[in-house]
Amino acid sequence: TQLLEQSPQFLSIQEGENLTVYCNSSSVFSSLQWYRQEPGEGPVLLVTVVTGGEVKKLKRLTFQFGDARKDSSLHITAAQPGDTGLYLCAGVDNYGQNFVFGPGTRLSVLP
Amino acid sequence: NAGVTQTPKFQVLKTGQSMTLQCAQDMNHNSMYWYRQDPGMGLRLIYYSASEGTTDKGEVPNGYNVSRLNKREFSLRLESAAPSQTSVYFCASSEALSLLSYEQYFGPGTRLTVT
């Protein structure tokens, strides 16, 4: 069974601070995705990383895929209250027929 | 363009009752999925359908059945509900942006409580 671990499980920070959350696995995935989920809603895809060592930037969010394609990180610069939510990573395998989700990091950004 | 829709949004069942969760997508995607989300466990795949007419078991299929009625609709049935099936259920569909890149879209979820 493929498993993804995420750390930290919970994170509460002040507006303006920087943070990094991590996603780790013992398995290799063909690609890895990050989602954000707000209460009462379904997850929304933020980014897909495909190549080992790849770095993608989405405004204040920076995503990195590990060289061995087993781990990933999400760095947020100058966090804002609108960044509050549950951040999920998902490993994609079997040509999109299997998505394995981590348990998530619940982020709270206080004004 | 509604994306992925799910009905109902909330449901309370007694142990042993049956029900069907409905899901429809209007994005012409081939692949559709059913997940359950429990606190601290992320999303777990129940069943998926790679194309119309095909379904495959995911990580936690026991106690569930699915039907891919057509390309748009993918339903999840609980034949005899159990308290362990209390959860939030999400339907999703996906399209391949490339051989390795897939974009998955989720519905708003169905919150099910089994007493």
Side-chain angles (χ1 to χ4, degrees), chain A residues 1 9 30-31 33 35 37 40-45 48 50 86 88 92 94-104, chain B residues 9 31 33 35 37 40-43 45 48 50 56 59 90 94 99-109 111:
Chain A
T1 302
Q9 188 176 0
S30 57
S31 60
Q33 300 183 324
Y35 293 78
Q37 184 179 19
E41 299 181 8
V44 175
L45 180 65
T48 300
V50 176
L86 179 67
L88 297 159
V92 187
N94 198 16
Y95 299 105
Q97 294 191 29
N98 189 24
F99 291 79
V100 178
F101 280 81
Chain B
K9 296 198 74 140
S31 298
Y33 311 80
Y35 294 90
Q37 185 174 35
M41 300 190 73
L43 285 92
L45 184 64
Y48 65 92
D56 285 286
E59 180 186 352
F90 287 99
S94 75
L99 190 60
L100 296 177
S101 182
Y102 295 83
E103 186 146 335
Q104 194 168 195
Y105 296 84
F106 284 83
R111 188 172 295 274

Side-chain angles (χ1 to χ4, degrees), chain B residues 4-19:
Chain B
V4 179
T5 57
Q6 292 183 237
T7 56
K9 296 198 74 140
F10 301 93
Q11 183 71 49
V12 179
L13 292 177
K14 293 186 192 284
T15 297
Q17 288 185 320
S18 62
M19 78 161 295

